Amino acid sequence: MRRHSGVGKTVLALTMAAALAAVSACSKDANTSSGTGSPTSVEVMSWWVGPGEADGLAAMIALFKQQNPGVEFVNATVAGGAGTNAKAQLATRLAANNPPDSYQRHAGKELAADIKAGDVEDLTYLYDQNGWKNLFPPGLIQAITDNGKIYSVPVNIHRSNLLWYLPKTLSDNGIAAPPQSWDEFLTQAAAIQAKGKTAISIGPAWTQKHLLENVLLGELGVDKYNGLWNGSTDWTSAEVVAALNKYIKILSYSDIKSAGADWQPALDRVIEGSAVYNVMGDWANAYLAGDKKLAFKDGYNVVASPGTAGVYNFLSDSFTLPVGAPHKATAEKWLALCGSKEGQDAFNPLKGSIPARKDADTSKYKDYLATALADWTNPSTKVVGSLAHGVVASDAWNSEIDTALGLFTASGDAAAFAAAVKQSYEKNK
Ligand code: GAL
C-alpha cells in the first residue's frame, strides 16, 4: 500500500487543529438512527455542473446506479464555480429545514460552521463500519472532526496554488520559463502588456480571492501565511500590506475590467493565447485535458504559483448527511461510495483531483495527476489550507473578506483592506 507520508505531518495537523478550534457542540438534536426514509431516491447537492466539473460526478453517479438499481439519483447541482450559488441555495434550504439527502462541503472551517449549527450528522459509525479511520490522512480526518466525532466523507484532495499556461504562448512571446516569484511575474507582465496581451486572466470575485490567497502565500511564505488565519500574523503589518499592494499591481496586468464569467472563460483566454497565465486549482486540469483535449506538457503546462514551490495549498471536497435528510438510508449508500476506493478512483481522474484515501490505484493517475500525487505524498512538501475553498476561514469571516476585497480591488487601498480583515477576524474568531 502506498504511504501518504507527506500528509500526516505536523503542518497539516496544525492547520487543521486551527481550522476546527472554534467549533463547539451541536445546537440541534442529531438523528442518530440509521436507515430511515424511502429507499427509492437520493438527492445530492453540489456545484459540479458544466465543463471541467461534471464528468467526475457523472462517473460516481453511474457507479451509484449500478450498485443501487431502482434508486433514483436526483442530481441537485447548482452552477457556479466554488459553489457561490450552491452555497446560497443550500443555506436557504437548511434554514427552511428542507435539506437534500447529502451536500458538498469543504473540509475545514466551512464544515465546522455546519457542525456548530447542528446541521450535519455524526458519521463516525460509517467510518467504523467501513474501516475508514486509518485510510484517510490523519490531518484530513482532523479537519472534519469535532469532539471526537467525524462529520463528512472526503472524496478528494485539490490543489489551489497552480499557474497554468500554454508552452506555445510562452515561446510566441519570447518567455523562457514561467515566473518563480511574483516580482519575476511583474517583469514578464510588463513585456507581455507591451505586446498587447494580458499577462494573467481572471474571473469573478471568488477567482480574485483564489489569486489573493496564492499571492499572500508566495510573498509571505508558509509560516506567515498560516499565521493570517490564526491571528499570529498581523494583517496590518508592513509585510502583509506590501504583499497586498503587490496583489493590486498583479491585478493591473490582468483582464479584470472584462473578467471572465467563471473560471472556465478565464482559462479560455489562456487557451486562445490572448492571456498568458491563469492561477487556478487543479479542476483546471479536468477542463484543459478532459474538455479541451490538450496534451499535458506539450499543449498546456502548470507549475506551482510564483513563490510556492514545494507547498501544497490544499482543499478537500467532502459530502455530509444533513440532520433531517429525507432519505437517510440511500444517503448512507452514497456516502459509502464517496469514501470507497472504487468511488474515489472513478471520480478523481476525471475531476482533476487526487483521492483523499491513501490506498488508491496510482496507475489511474497520469500526467498532471501523477505529479500531484507525487507532490502530495512527498514528505518534504509543506501543506497549507485554502481561503477561497473553505479550509482556513469560516464562511462568516470569508463573506466579510469578500465584501472588503470588492472594495479593495476597486480602491487599491491595501491598508484599509488589511484593517477590515483584521477587524473581521477579531469579530468572528
Ligand atoms: C472548489 C471545489 C472544486 C471545484 C471548484 C470550482 O470550491 O472544491 O471541486 O468545483 O470549486 O468550481
Side-chain angles (χ1 to χ4, degrees), residues 272-421:
E272 294 153 14
S274 59
V276 179
Y277 299 113
N278 181 256
V279 169
M280 193 36 59
D282 46 11
W283 42 92
N285 193 67
Y287 188 59
L288 295 166
D291 295 87
K292 298 294 168 180
K293 310 264 178 273
L294 294 173
F296 178 58
K297 287 217 184 276
D298 290 344
Y300 73 98
N301 211 342
V302 60
V303 288
S305 56
T308 70
V311 184
Y312 213 104
N313 186 1
F314 103 102
L315 58 126
S316 172
D317 294 304
S318 70
F319 281 89
T320 61
L321 179 60
V323 169
H327 308 103
K328 188 170 178 181
T330 48
E332 286 167 340
K333 290 193 161 59
W334 164 251
L335 294 170
L337 176 63
C338 289
S340 71
K341 182 173 152 82
E342 198 188 5
Q344 300 208 352
D345 283 338
F347 174 74
N348 287 298
L350 297 169
K351 182 64 175 63
S353 38
I354 54 171
R357 283 176 69 117
K358 297 187 284 183
D359 62 346
D361 178 354
T362 52
S363 71
K364 290 192 158 43
Y365 299 86
K366 300 199 165 58
D367 298 331
Y368 162 74
L369 290 170
T371 70
L373 259 183
D375 288 348
W376 178 245
T377 53
N378 181 343
S380 60
T381 297
K382 292 184 175 160
V383 178
V384 301
S386 166
L387 166 68
H389 307 282
V391 182
V392 291
S394 66
D395 278 358
W397 190 22
N398 246 313
S399 76
E400 293 187 359
I401 291 176
D402 290 343
T403 306
L405 186 56
L407 295 170
F408 176 38
T409 50
S411 71
D413 188 341
F417 176 70
V421 174

Side-chain angles (χ1 to χ4, degrees), residues 47-49 52-53 80-84 87 104-106 110 155-156 158 206 210 262-264 280-284 315-318 347 351 353 386 388-390:
W47 56 87
W48 293 331
V49 57
E53 303 269 42
T84 331
K87 285 178 186 175
Q104 178 185 356
R105 250 326 176 222
H106 291 121
E110 187 181 297
V155 74
N156 67 0
H158 265 308
W206 75 265
H210 186 113
D262 208 338
W263 64 272
Q264 298 98 329
M280 193 36 59
D282 46 11
W283 42 92
L315 58 126
S316 172
D317 294 304
S318 70
F347 174 74
K351 182 64 175 63
S353 38
S386 166
H389 307 282

Side-chain angles (χ1 to χ4, degrees), residues 106-127:
H106 291 121
K109 288 261 183 162
E110 187 181 297
L111 176 70
D114 289 4
I115 301 172
K116 192 173 179 180
D119 285 335
V120 286
E121 297 262 19
D122 169 13
L123 298 178
T124 314
Y125 67 99
L126 285 183
Y127 281 75

Side-chain angles (χ1 to χ4, degrees), residues 10-243:
T10 326
V11 167
L12 177 54
L14 288 176
T15 306
M16 295 302 94
L20 288 189
V23 175
S24 63
C26 296
S27 60
K28 284 185 195 169
D29 282 340
N31 170 9
T32 49
S33 70
S34 183
T36 54
S38 154
T40 54
S41 75
V42 66
E43 185 191 14
V44 176
M45 195 162 176
S46 79
W47 56 87
W48 293 331
V49 57
E53 303 269 42
D55 291 349
L57 178 60
M60 281 233 290
I61 295 173
L63 259 181
F64 181 87
K65 287 183 174 164
Q66 201 180 308
Q67 291 174 356
N68 302 282
V71 177
E72 185 199 2
F73 191 97
V74 181
N75 186 12
T77 50
V78 182
T84 331
N85 305 326
K87 285 178 186 175
Q89 226 182 80
L90 176 67
T92 308
R93 288 187 61 170
L94 292 181
N97 282 324
N98 173 29
D101 296 310
S102 183
Y103 63 83
Q104 178 185 356
R105 250 326 176 222
H106 291 121
K109 288 261 183 162
E110 187 181 297
L111 176 70
D114 289 4
I115 301 172
K116 192 173 179 180
D119 285 335
V120 286
E121 297 262 19
D122 169 13
L123 298 178
T124 314
Y125 67 99
L126 285 183
Y127 281 75
D128 291 335
Q129 278 167 21
N130 292 287
W132 284 340
K133 277 185 178 155
N134 297 319
L135 286 169
F136 292 93
L140 181 58
I141 294 270
Q142 209 178 329
I144 53 175
T145 298
D146 179 52
N147 268 328
K149 297 172 182 169
I150 313 176
Y151 286 90
S152 72
V153 181
V155 74
N156 67 0
I157 300 290
H158 265 308
R159 186 176 188 173
S160 158
N161 58 317
L162 295 166
L163 184 75
W164 304 88
Y165 64 94
L166 266 53
K168 183 181 178 316
T169 307
L170 258 53
S171 58
D172 285 354
N173 289 282
I175 301 168
Q180 289 179 17
S181 69
W182 284 109
D183 284 337
E184 199 190 329
F185 168 84
L186 289 173
T187 306
Q188 288 191 11
I192 293 165
Q193 192 180 54
K195 289 184 196 292
K197 299 236 161 93
T198 302
I200 187 164
S201 64
I202 200 81
W206 75 265
T207 69
Q208 296 163 27
K209 187 165 63 173
H210 186 113
L211 176 63
L212 173 67
E213 73 183 35
N214 290 307
V215 171
L216 290 169
L217 179 60
E219 288 293 296
L220 300 175
V222 164
D223 292 344
K224 286 184 181 147
Y225 175 84
N226 284 337
L228 292 170
W229 320 118
N230 64 23
S232 66
T233 300
D234 185 346
W235 276 89
T236 59
S237 65
E239 203 178 357
V240 176
V241 172

